[in-house]
Amino acid sequence: MAALMWTARHGRLALVAGLLAGLALPGLAQVLRDWLAPMVALLLFLTALRIGARAATGSLAQARGALGASLVLQLGLPLAAAGVLAALGVLQTPLALALVLMLAAPPVAGVPSFTLMMGHDPAPGLRLLIVGTALLPLTVLPVLWVLPALGSAGGVLAAAGRLLLVIAGATAAGFALRRALPRLRTPRATEALDGLTALALAVIVIGLMSAVTPALADDPLRVLWWLCAAVVANLGLQLLAHMATGGRVVALSVAAGNRSIALFLVALPPEMMAPLLLFIGCYQLPMFLTPFVMKRLYGGRRATA
């Protein structure tokens, strides 16, 4: 318990350690990449266990807010970006495809945890995660129609369905265990759960970095290009959302820039896999550094939504 509570107090440093391990230990990263799905499920379980069903579901007004925000993030933004990129004549480039796919994706499973590490309410982030994933089979279709080169719509819908089942199962299990064991709601248990969540995130990022180290050895300038694009996309979207909402809902700003783009890889043609895998790997750097570099912008006051 003491070790977990110490980890909770230094959770942001644990994420940095995970990033460094992913770069320094490519063999371990390759092994962990095969375990990403169960690790993400574990992360969702821990998040639901920590928050509880009542805080996660919120009121009807809060649910409507999550629905509206998800439609803007996953439908309005990618369609607008696709229109601009098409007008510029670059919609078929790998970078344009990666950006549109990122915008069409739901928030990553770590959004509630990132928000909590910066001292804000994680419940709005969990609502956005659940609602955004549930809406994905509907919101992704118009995006696929404007990006016909992406391949099978059925593949994306199947992947979205699997992700929805994982999120529903993991969160339901977390809510049920919290209800069955009231002692998990004590401050000491809550801090220990925060430590477990930080450890889970640190391990997950190692597996997500599996494509970066080999690419660094082959073509470091190419990696730098994709890294710059990932940083601008992630942190830029967070900053724009923060300005648009007046900083009232930190979880929304975090969710705007941190998306589960890896979901779409199953539907892409093989020739598009390599550059997008590298983008996803580079995307982990600003994603997992969000609690570290954005805390000053977001401050420490707690937000509600």
Side-chain angles (χ1 to χ4, degrees):
M1 288 289 288
L4 289 176
M5 293 169 71
W6 183 90
T7 304
R9 291 190 291 270
H10 301 85
R12 292 180 296 156
L13 295 179
L15 298 188
V16 175
L19 285 169
L20 294 176
L23 291 171
L25 303 170
L28 178 61
Q30 290 291 339
V31 171
L32 291 177
R33 187 172 69 174
D34 296 333
W35 293 89
L36 283 175
M39 287 191 295
V40 169
L42 174 62
L43 175 63
L44 290 168
F45 169 78
L46 292 173
T47 302
L49 183 62
R50 197 264 185 214
I51 296 174
R54 181 175 298 178
T57 53
S59 66
L60 180 60
Q62 290 170 327
R64 284 199 300 263
L67 175 63
S70 297
L71 289 174
V72 171
L73 293 177
Q74 296 173 212
L75 184 61
L77 288 183
L79 289 179
V84 172
L85 293 168
L88 295 174
V90 297
L91 185 57
Q92 297 302 318
T93 64
L95 178 58
L97 292 174
L99 292 175
V100 174
L101 280 177
M102 182 202 74
L103 291 170
V108 296
V111 164
S113 301
F114 297 158
T115 307
L116 179 64
M117 287 180 182
M118 293 183 286
H120 293 269
D121 184 6
L126 187 58
R127 281 195 290 273
L128 287 168
L129 173 63
I130 295 172
V131 173
T133 304
L135 286 177
L136 184 61
L138 299 176
T139 59
V140 74
L141 288 177
V143 179
L144 290 176
W145 286 333
V146 300
L147 297 174
L150 288 181
S152 167
V156 174
L157 294 178
R162 288 193 296 270
L163 182 62
L164 182 58
L165 287 176
V166 169
I167 289 178
T171 53
F175 293 155
L177 185 58
R178 181 181 175 89
R179 183 178 180 86
L181 299 177
R183 292 182 62 182
L184 292 175
R185 306 172 200 170
T186 64
R188 182 177 173 83
T190 297
E191 192 170 7
L193 286 173
D194 291 343
L196 274 176
T197 301
L199 287 176
L201 284 167
V203 174
I204 286 171
V205 71
I206 297 175
L208 290 170
M209 296 291 290
S210 59
V212 176
T213 300
L216 271 174
D218 294 336
D219 191 348
L221 290 179
R222 179 166 166 260
V223 175
L224 180 61
W225 161 252
W226 282 104
L227 177 60
C228 290
V231 169
V232 170
N234 185 309
L235 301 184
L237 280 168
Q238 290 192 60
L239 179 59
L240 289 174
H242 183 73
M243 294 170 60
T245 61
R248 292 187 300 273
V249 188
V250 169
L252 176 59
S253 302
V254 176
N258 293 287
R259 309 292 191 91
S260 186
I261 182 177
L263 168 68
F264 296 111
L265 291 176
V266 296
L268 294 178
E271 62 271 16
M272 294 183 181
M273 288 289 290
L276 290 179
L277 280 173
L278 184 55
F279 176 82
I280 292 171
C282 292
Y283 189 61
Q284 307 314 307
L285 286 166
M287 180 187 298
F288 282 87
L289 288 176
T290 288
F292 197 81
V293 301
M294 300 297 282
K295 181 175 174 60
R296 178 169 295 184
L297 173 67
Y298 294 143
R301 61 188 177 83
R302 295 195 172 268
T304 58

